[in-house]
Amino acid sequence: MTDQSIKPAGALGMTSVSSQLLRPPEKLVAVGFRCWLSGYQRGAIQSWETCWSYYRRELGAEAARKAVTDLASWVNMVRLHALRDIELMPPQCPSFCRDECLAVSLIAASQHDACPALQACAYALMGADDIEPVLKTAADFARTLEGANVRLGRDLVAARDAPAASSVH
């Protein structure tokens, strides 16, 4: 278990996907993942405050409280168990890179009980064999989102069955 540094995806020439292609449920997960993980990277509470404000605006204070708690647990497990650098776009970028899209697909697969795709997304995102803690916290976050009437599209699961996929439709 190592805490790898997070590389800005734009600097690495990653293919990005315009956020306008993401529906609100998927964008909620992508923005949350980016903000929370970049908060760990930079050690700046501002990223977490941005996440909280966005979730509160989208879900309301009560639902946001539970969702951000579960998001934080999930992202922390990804951070702790990843054996490779997780790449992120810059905080205010309207596009999402492959790793951010894999994170969204992991939550979609969890909501749709798509086990092979769920495991493939986790392996691709983390580059690690120890994915169980991530799968558990992802399931908790996915259920919390469903409880707040946030359901990610099943099409994202199919789009991510192959770990090398790099776009969201």
Side-chain angles (χ1 to χ4, degrees):
M1 289 185 211
T2 61
D3 182 7
Q4 298 293 315
S5 63
I6 302 159
K7 305 288 185 197
L12 299 174
M14 296 290 297
T15 302
S16 64
V17 178
S18 172
S19 63
Q20 66 191 358
L21 297 177
L22 294 180
R23 294 174 294 249
E26 290 82 19
K27 186 176 178 184
L28 189 73
V29 174
V31 168
F33 183 80
R34 176 189 291 167
C35 287
W36 216 263
L37 199 50
S38 69
Y40 281 121
Q41 175 193 19
R42 295 185 284 144
I45 196 169
Q46 182 181 12
S47 292
W48 295 333
E49 289 172 342
T50 298
C51 180
W52 166 250
S53 295
Y54 181 62
Y55 271 59
R56 187 182 64 219
R57 184 176 62 246
E58 296 298 314
L59 302 176
E62 189 175 323
R65 200 170 290 113
K66 175 70 172 141
V68 169
T69 298
D70 287 348
L71 167 72
S73 294
W74 169 56
V75 172
N76 192 41
M77 286 297 110
V78 169
R79 179 181 73 94
L80 291 174
H81 293 273
L83 296 179
R84 68 175 198 83
D85 293 339
I86 304 292
E87 297 168 345
L88 301 172
M89 296 299 283
Q92 300 303 320
C93 184
S95 301
F96 298 97
C97 70
R98 178 181 179 268
D99 286 347
E100 292 166 328
C101 292
L102 280 168
V104 171
S105 295
L106 193 148
I107 299 303
S110 185
Q111 282 189 340
H112 293 282
D113 295 319
C115 186
L118 177 65
Q119 291 176 341
C121 289
Y123 288 128
L125 179 62
M126 299 169 32
D129 290 332
D130 186 16
I131 63 170
E132 287 308 313
V134 171
L135 297 182
K136 186 206 176 307
T137 54
D140 293 343
F141 181 48
R143 277 192 302 275
T144 295
L145 290 176
E146 285 182 311
N149 295 317
V150 176
R151 183 87 168 153
L152 280 69
R154 182 179 268 302
D155 59 319
L156 291 174
V157 175
R160 294 289 173 242
D161 278 338
S166 63
S167 64
V168 175
H169 300 285

